[in-house]
Amino acid sequence: MAEADTLFDKIVRKEIPADIIYEDETCLAFRDIAPTAKTHFLVIPKNRDGLSRLSKAESRHETLIGHLLVVAAKVAKEEGLGEDGFRTVINDGKHGCQSVYHLHVHVIGG
């Protein structure tokens, strides 16, 4: 069964505009539309491969999840968050306050 499109799938396909600050063949980073701090961006996989939420992760996702976190750190540094630190958040499911069911890493700082 195919996964239903999410808002983030549409951003990946450039059907919905986003303030993209990083992109490679695997993932995309863009500024959150409702930031909770001076710097707040999301890092998402371009291809979810079943990762609608972190609790759906399987061993085949290890490289992808690791890449998302490495990119989060790299972009955080580029955004000036390297010296004083930052917070990463991955919401999971209804009780984890997840609103878009496409795995995403919030990077928050400043």
Side-chain angles (χ1 to χ4, degrees):
M1 187 168 98
E3 295 175 310
D5 255 3
T6 69
L7 173 71
F8 293 165
D9 291 311
K10 293 175 182 177
I11 289 172
V12 167
R13 292 192 307 263
K14 311 289 196 283
E15 294 172 4
I16 294 176
D19 186 359
I20 297 170
I21 55 177
Y22 177 87
E23 182 172 8
D24 65 24
E25 63 284 341
T26 305
C27 70
L28 192 67
F30 54 93
R31 297 192 193 288
D32 194 291
I33 61 168
T36 60
K38 181 179 173 187
T39 302
H40 184 171
F41 62 90
L42 306 177
V43 182
I44 66 169
K46 287 183 170 181
N47 177 1
R48 279 181 285 153
D49 187 26
L51 279 174
S52 56
R53 42 195 291 198
L54 187 58
S55 60
K56 302 280 186 184
E58 299 175 8
S59 59
R60 74 173 195 269
H61 297 119
E62 287 180 27
T63 300
L64 174 59
I65 293 169
H67 182 71
L68 295 176
L69 294 175
V70 168
V71 167
K74 174 183 177 176
V75 177
K77 185 175 182 180
E78 291 171 358
E79 291 289 307
L81 300 178
E83 190 68 30
D84 293 328
F86 53 91
R87 181 169 56 129
T88 57
V89 177
I90 300 175
N91 299 327
D92 186 274
K94 177 182 174 183
H95 294 290
C97 300
Q98 186 175 4
S99 58
V100 178
Y101 284 80
H102 182 136
L103 182 76
H104 54 288
V105 180
H106 291 263
V107 181
I108 303 163

